[in-house]
Structure formats: structure tokens, C-alpha cells
């Protein structure tokens, strides 16, 4: 039995930056199943050797620390290339023949759709017509689809219909690379592997939750895509709502793909849609100054490069607890962080300095990236100062505890899971559809008379002031930075 990964769109950026470096790392770690080969398929006329050379350059630049010439020589022997056009049905016959010359039957095959998403329906239809998706010969056939998966509920439903016409749901692996991040998976271990947090993880003890995915980079060379998407589609529909599901879900009874995803679906089903009338009160949208003059951006573009959203999950655990989500481009720092802010304890019984600990709350910050780790803030007595108190922190850092190289790239894990048939870290069709339904409700509001104004923000800041007001109106404030005392969740009053 042989295993083959066929990458459709193999001459593109994703293949060079992420997929091949991840496969190479898996090979080095001896995790790639025996008899695996990788066949690139794209329009460019490469020979096998030219493809290998291109991929070598990519691995040297993107997995540079770990480049090992001998390992590469062995690995590159597994790489092949077949030229073809996605739109030409006959080229899939050629692909099929090439696949049979490279591997022995029965073949296990993963087809990786690493092309622009508009090609997905065509590719899947042609793969099916060439009989490449049928599992009847004894080997599995799987398809991995990169994001974006549709651009609204309607297009996602239609894409799911095409995929379900050719494949069963268990054959489809929809990537959300945030789920491949170690720190994101650790949210589940942290919540359900420890006795001391889960009992507090509900509306009785939690005041609110914040999820920030801030980027210091801009839209780079992706204006054509980004200007038709915006941050709600690019980041919220997938990454932020996936983080939200993991933070808010009930413990799954067993740890398998379907049970886990059922729990996430329950969270997404309980999201209270944001009606147009609530649009301006619950959402903020922004565009960084200078966006309209970026190459490839429409001069009157109303695409948002920043958004902040206040949402509620209408279930027993979370009723009445606000979740504040924000994400944007060209912000002050690259930082992804989940903060659980607990209710305020009655610290007035302590002899506190007015205006300081009076506003104290316990807070747990989960740093997804960078400085992967966690910070728990609690109150302590200042020695030799009567009953004066001060917030202090307990910190855990992944790299300190597990070594500098402990955190692999998300794609390493995701590719292996797809080869091994574990879909836990991939999005199921109902998750995708519910997420779009929620995002569509926001977008409807933005088209309505109740829409929040598009705010401009300066590059290198934390976004428009309106995002602070979103919390300020509720008597809350954003955490910013990364876990030191001047950093996240510092109350501006307390800091003064
Ligand atoms: C992608 C978005 O899904 O995630 C990009 O399309 C964004 O716009 C990227 O930059 C962020 O990923 P990460 O892993 O760098 O946080």
C-alpha cells in the first residue's frame, strides 16, 4: 500500500511556505507514514528536478534552522511534479496515470486544494470524473480544502453541495490553521485536564471573555483577495470563532472528531445573531489610514481592516456574559490572546489604597502567540505595608517549560492528521455554515441604516477608539500587550 499527497496548486506560495516545509519536518521526525510520496500538480512546466530545486530553496528559507542536506536528499526523492491545467478534464486522466506509475495499488490519497477557492468546485468535479475520489479500491481518498471556505452562507452551502456530491463528509478536511497551533489545542487540555478552572468557567464566576488576534503586518501582496474579503471574512468567520468555540464549549464525552465538533457546533448554534438595530452598539469597523492608496485596493473601498464585536452565547453556561472579539491589520503588535476576566471579588474588606486594588479582578490570559503561555493574575499582600495589597502574576511559558523547539508549525500536525484520518482539528460543514450565518448577520447590519461608521485608525495603534468605547460603555477595557504589569487588562484608572 502506498500513500500519496497530491498538491493541486503546487507552484503557489502556500506549497513553498507551509506545506513542503511541514512535510519535510515530519519526514525528519520520522512521522511521515512509510511509502508516502508527494506529487505536485499545477500549470507551470516544471520537471521533477526543477520542482525539487524550488522546494529546496523554500525549505532553506522557511524551515532554515533545521535544514539538513542529507535528510533533504532523502526527502526530495519523494517529491514529484505533474504539469496540468485545473480546467482541463483530460489532464486529470494524465494525473491519474502518473499517480499509478508512482505508487502501488491500493493507494491512499490525500488531495490538497491549494488553489484559489473559485477552482475548488471544478477540481473536485474533475477528480471525481477521473474516478480519483472513489474509496472502493480499498485505499482512502481525502480532500483537504484551504480557507476561505465560501464568502457567505450561501456560497458555503453551494460549495458544500458540490463537495458532498463527490465525497462523503468524512473524506473532507477543511483547514483552519489556528486549530493546528499547539497553544490552541492546549486550550482543551487546560480546560478539561485540570480540576481547578473548569468549575469556575461559567457565568457565575466569569465577568467577560476577550479574544484578540492582532497583526502588525498589513495586507502585503494580497490586496486582490483582501479587498474582496475584509477582516470579518478573513479572520472572524474562521480563526476567531474557532477560538471562541474551544473556550466556550462543554466538555466532550470522548475525544474524537465528531464528539468534539458536536460540542463546537452547539456553541455556534447558541450565538445570538446581531440584528441590524444592534449593529452600531455591538460592532466596530475600521480601516487603517492609507488603505485606500494601497496597490490593488479600490479607491472607494469600504472593506474593513479592523473589526471588534461584542457577542453573547445564549446557553446556560454563558447567558449574559459578553465575549469581546477583535482583530485587525497593521496594529501595534502581533499578538493572539484569550483573556478570561473573572468577576470582581469584594476586596473592599481589605485595607486597600483607594483607586488601586479596589478595581482588582482575577484574570487568566492565554497567549496563543507569540510568547506562548499563560498568565494568572491574583491579589497578594505587600510585605511590611499593613494590609496593602497588589496584583501579582503566575506565569507559564511553553518554551521555558518544554524547550525552545517545542512549538512546531500548525501545518505539520494538520497534514499528519489528515494522513492518519483524524479530523478533530478540521472544520465540519455545519460549523462552517453556522459561522457564516453569524458573520452574515453582522454584514447585514453593516449594510443597513444602523451601520456603525467606518472608522479610520492610525497604523501601529490598537485600532479605532470606537473599539475602546465598545467595552467602555460596559465599564470594561481591552487588555493589550503580553502579560506584564503594564500590559494586558490594566485598568487605565488603576494605572494612573
Ligand atoms: C490567514 C489570513 O488565515 O491568517 C491572513 O488569511 C492572516 O490574513 C493569517 O495574516 C494570520 O495567521 P497567523 O498564524 O500568522 O496568526
Amino acid at each position: 500500500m502506498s500513500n500519496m499527497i497530491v498538491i493541486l496548486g503546487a507552484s503557489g506560495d502556500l506549497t513553498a511556505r507551509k506545506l513542503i516545509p511541514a512535510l519535510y519536518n515530519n519526514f525528519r521526525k520520522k512521522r511521515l507514514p512509510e511509502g508516502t510520496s508527494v506529487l505536485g500538480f499545477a500549470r507551470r512546466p516544471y520537471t521533477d528536478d526543477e520542482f525539487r530545486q524550488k522546494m529546496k530553496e523554500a525549505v532553506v528559507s522557511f524551515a532554515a534552522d533545521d535544514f539538513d542536506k542529507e535528510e533533504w536528499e532523502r526527502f526530495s526523492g519523494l517529491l514529484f511534479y505533474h504539469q496540468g491545467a485545473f480546467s482541463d478534464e483530460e489532464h486529470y486522466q494524465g494525473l491519474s496515470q502518473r499517480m499509478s506509475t508512482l505508487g502501488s495499488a491500493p493507494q491512499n490519497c490525500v488531495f490538497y486544494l491549494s488553489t484559489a477557492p473559485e477552482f475548488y468546485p471544478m477540481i473536485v468535479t474533475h477528480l471525481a470524473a477521473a474516478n480519483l475520489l472513489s474509496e472502493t479500491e480499498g485505499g482512502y481518498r481525502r480532500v483537504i480544502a484551504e480557507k476561505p471556505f465560501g464568502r457567505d452562507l450561501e456560497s458555503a452551502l453551494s460549495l458544500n453541495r458540490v463537495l458532498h456530491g463527490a465525497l462523503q463528509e468524512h473524506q473532507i478536511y477543511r483547514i483552519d490553521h489556528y486549530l493546528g497551533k499547539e497553544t490552541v489545542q492546549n486550550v482543551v487540555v487546560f480546560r478539561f485536564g485540570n480540576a481547578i478552572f473548569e468549575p469556575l468557567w461559567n457565568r457565575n464566576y466569569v465577568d467577560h471573555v476577550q479574544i484578540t488576534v492582532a497583526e502588525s503586518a498589513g495586507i502585503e501582496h494580497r490586496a486582490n483577495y483582501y479587498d474582496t474579503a475584509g477582516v470579518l471574512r478573513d479572520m472572524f468567520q474562521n480563526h476567531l470563532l474557532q477560538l471562541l468555540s474551544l473556550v466556550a464549549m462543554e466538555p466532550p464525552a470522548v475525544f474524537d472528531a465528531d464528539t468534539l465538533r458536536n460540542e463546537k457546533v452547539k456553541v455556534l448554534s447558541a450565538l445570538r445573531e446581531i440584528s441590524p438595530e444592534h449593529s452600531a452598539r455591538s460592532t466596530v469597523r475600521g480601516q487603517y489610514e492609507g488603505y485606500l492608496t494601497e496597490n490593488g485596493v479600490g479607491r472607494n473601498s469600504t472593506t474593513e481592516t479592523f473589526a471588534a464585536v461584542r457577542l453573547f452565547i445564549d446557553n446556560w453556561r454563558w447567558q449574559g456574559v459578553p465575549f469581546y472579539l477583535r482583530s485587525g491589520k497593521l496594529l501595534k503588535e502581533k499578538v493572539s490572546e484569550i483573556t478570561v476576566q473573572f468577576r470582581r471579588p469584594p476586596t473592599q474588606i481589605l485595607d486597600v489604597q483607594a483607586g488601586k486594588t479596589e478595581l482588582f479582578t482575577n484574570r487568566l490570559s492565554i497567549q496563543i502567540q507569540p510568547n506562548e503561555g499563560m498568565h494568572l493574575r491574583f491579589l497578594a499582600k505587600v510585605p511590611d505595608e499593613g494590609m496593602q495589597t497588589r496584583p501579582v502574576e503566575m506565569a507559564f511559558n511553553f518554551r521555558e517549560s518544554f524547550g525552545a523547539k517545542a512549538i512546531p508549525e500548525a501545518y505539520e500536525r494538520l497534514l499528519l492528521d489528515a494522513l492518519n484520518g483524524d479530523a478533530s482539528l478540521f472544520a465540519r460543514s455545519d460549523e462552517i455554515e453556522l459561522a457564516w450565518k453569524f458573520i452574515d448577520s453582522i454584514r447585514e447590519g453593516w449594510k443597513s441604516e444602523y451601520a456603525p461608521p467606518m472608522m479610520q485608525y492610525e497604523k501601529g495603534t490598537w485600532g479605532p477608539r470606537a473599539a475602546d468605547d465598545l467595552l467602555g460603555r460596559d465599564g470594561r477595557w481591552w487588555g493589550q500587550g503580553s502579560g506584564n504589569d503594564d500590559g494586558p487588562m490594566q485598568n487605565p484608572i488603576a494605572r494612573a
Side-chain angles (χ1 to χ4, degrees):
M1 166 110 42
S2 62
N3 299 297
M4 190 168 297
I5 304 170
V6 180
I7 304 177
L8 296 112
S11 53
D13 232 28
L14 182 76
T15 307
R17 282 173 179 267
K18 301 285 182 190
L19 304 184
I20 298 293
L23 288 168
Y24 165 71
N25 280 333
N26 279 326
F27 175 80
R28 273 190 331 108
K29 294 179 190 172
K30 311 213 177 324
R31 291 181 181 161
L32 216 51
E34 260 316 284
T36 300
S37 51
V38 180
L39 176 59
F41 180 74
R43 194 195 285 270
R44 293 215 191 138
Y46 295 146
T47 61
D48 288 343
D49 280 340
E50 283 165 345
F51 182 59
R52 288 173 186 151
Q53 184 53 33
K54 291 262 165 219
M55 294 304 109
K56 180 177 178 183
E57 288 158 21
V59 169
V60 169
S61 6
F62 301 113
D65 289 353
D66 295 322
F67 189 77
D68 174 324
K69 200 161 171 292
E70 279 171 23
E71 288 280 33
W72 172 261
E73 290 309 322
R74 278 194 288 276
F75 173 72
S76 73
L78 310 176
L79 299 183
F80 303 91
Y81 186 85
H82 185 77
Q83 188 198 357
F86 306 132
S87 53
D88 196 329
E89 199 177 334
E90 282 181 15
H91 289 191
Y92 292 76
Q93 294 299 341
L95 175 66
S96 171
Q97 280 155 18
R98 184 76 199 277
M99 285 168 63
S100 23
T101 61
L102 291 177
S104 54
Q107 264 179 342
N108 285 325
C109 275
V110 174
F111 294 94
Y112 200 115
L113 307 183
S114 172
T115 67
E118 55 268 30
F119 294 119
Y120 294 177
M122 176 201 283
I123 292 175
V124 168
T125 309
H126 288 336
L127 286 172
N131 199 28
L132 285 169
L133 297 181
S134 135
E135 291 196 311
T136 50
E137 310 147 25
Y140 66 67
R141 291 285 190 272
R142 296 177 187 140
V143 168
I144 305 182
E146 257 301 322
K147 72 172 268 279
F149 198 88
R151 48 177 287 106
D152 52 19
L153 176 60
E154 201 185 317
S155 54
L157 283 168
S158 125
L159 183 51
N160 275 330
R161 265 195 301 275
V162 175
L163 293 187
H164 289 148
L167 296 150
Q168 309 223 9
E169 179 62 31
H170 76 261
Q171 295 176 273
I172 308 169
Y173 290 70
R174 298 174 192 80
I175 288 253
D176 185 313
H177 79 277
Y178 264 61
L179 294 178
K181 292 184 191 276
E182 292 287 336
T183 43
V184 173
Q185 292 156 38
N186 188 52
V187 171
V188 178
V189 174
F190 175 77
R191 284 193 56 199
F192 305 132
N194 293 295
I196 57 174
F197 297 106
E198 194 50 25
L200 308 180
W201 212 260
N202 58 54
R203 64 187 167 135
N204 296 327
Y205 298 97
V206 174
D207 176 73
H208 74 278
V209 177
Q210 299 183 9
I211 301 179
T212 293
V213 179
E215 295 191 86
S216 50
I219 56 170
E220 295 172 326
H221 54 282
R222 298 159 76 218
N224 285 345
Y225 151 73
Y226 196 87
D227 202 37
T228 61
V231 74
L232 271 192
R233 291 187 174 107
D234 187 47
M235 300 294 287
F236 278 70
Q237 187 273 341
N238 35 70
H239 310 324
L240 277 93
L241 288 184
Q242 284 292 342
L243 293 178
L244 174 84
S245 309
L246 293 173
V247 169
M249 72 181 185
E250 297 300 318
V254 287
F255 204 81
D256 66 29
D258 263 330
T259 319
L260 181 73
R261 295 188 294 180
N262 288 345
E263 293 305 337
K264 290 200 287 167
V265 160
K266 286 184 206 161
V267 173
L268 295 169
S269 318
L271 283 184
R272 189 188 304 165
E273 278 183 31
I274 297 178
S275 64
E277 299 80 55
H278 289 112
S279 185
R281 275 183 41 207
S282 301
T283 69
V284 170
R285 52 180 174 158
Q287 211 178 51
Y288 61 78
E289 286 168 5
Y291 177 71
L292 296 180
T293 53
E294 297 271 21
N295 256 342
V297 166
R299 291 297 159 254
N300 300 315
S301 170
T302 56
T303 299
E304 77 290 352
T305 60
F306 175 95
V309 172
R310 181 184 67 162
L311 62 82
F312 290 92
I313 301 172
D314 284 332
N315 63 17
W316 277 91
R317 187 188 280 261
W318 296 116
Q319 182 66 44
V321 177
F323 285 72
Y324 300 97
L325 277 52
R326 67 175 170 170
S327 179
K329 296 279 187 199
L330 282 181
L331 298 180
K332 192 164 182 180
E333 281 173 34
K334 180 172 172 75
V335 53
S336 300
E337 178 175 82
I338 301 168
T339 301
V340 179
Q341 174 95 17
F342 292 91
R343 287 188 187 280
R344 192 170 300 159
T347 40
Q348 63 272 21
I349 60 164
L350 301 172
D351 179 16
V352 296
Q353 225 184 334
K356 255 195 164 182
T357 45
E358 189 169 75
L359 290 158
F360 169 80
T361 49
N362 289 111
R363 163 186 92 208
L364 174 75
S365 305
I366 304 175
Q367 294 283 138
I368 302 297
Q369 62 188 25
N371 305 327
E372 296 84 351
M374 294 196 184
H375 300 265
L376 180 65
R377 180 186 199 241
F378 58 94
L379 199 63
K381 180 183 174 308
V382 181
D384 203 19
E385 294 285 347
M387 275 307 275
Q388 214 186 343
T389 57
R390 207 174 67 200
V392 290
E393 252 181 18
M394 255 179 348
F396 151 66
N397 182 291
F398 269 90
R399 291 175 203 272
E400 276 171 21
S401 298
F402 299 113
K405 287 195 177 169
I407 305 189
E409 263 283 326
Y411 280 90
E412 285 183 35
R413 171 72 191 266
L414 294 175
L415 281 162
L416 269 192
D417 281 3
L419 282 169
N420 294 328
D422 182 351
S424 313
L425 301 178
F426 295 83
R428 207 168 57 187
S429 57
D430 45 359
E431 282 177 79
I432 301 260
E433 289 165 13
L434 287 162
W436 275 123
K437 192 161 164 249
F438 179 71
I439 295 300
D440 283 1
S441 77
I442 300 177
R443 300 200 64 83
E444 275 309 303
W446 286 5
K447 283 189 241 148
S448 77
E449 58 186 296
Y450 307 103
M454 177 68 81
M455 310 302 292
Q456 298 282 305
Y457 63 95
E458 218 180 301
K459 296 175 191 174
T461 65
W462 288 103
R465 270 210 89 82
D468 296 334
D469 300 339
L470 182 75
L471 275 73
R473 282 198 293 275
D474 298 343
R476 301 184 174 104
W477 50 91
W478 288 108
Q480 289 171 358
S482 52
N484 53 47
D485 245 5
D486 292 312
M489 303 303 299
Q490 275 296 306
N491 182 329
I493 307 167
R495 204 180 331 189

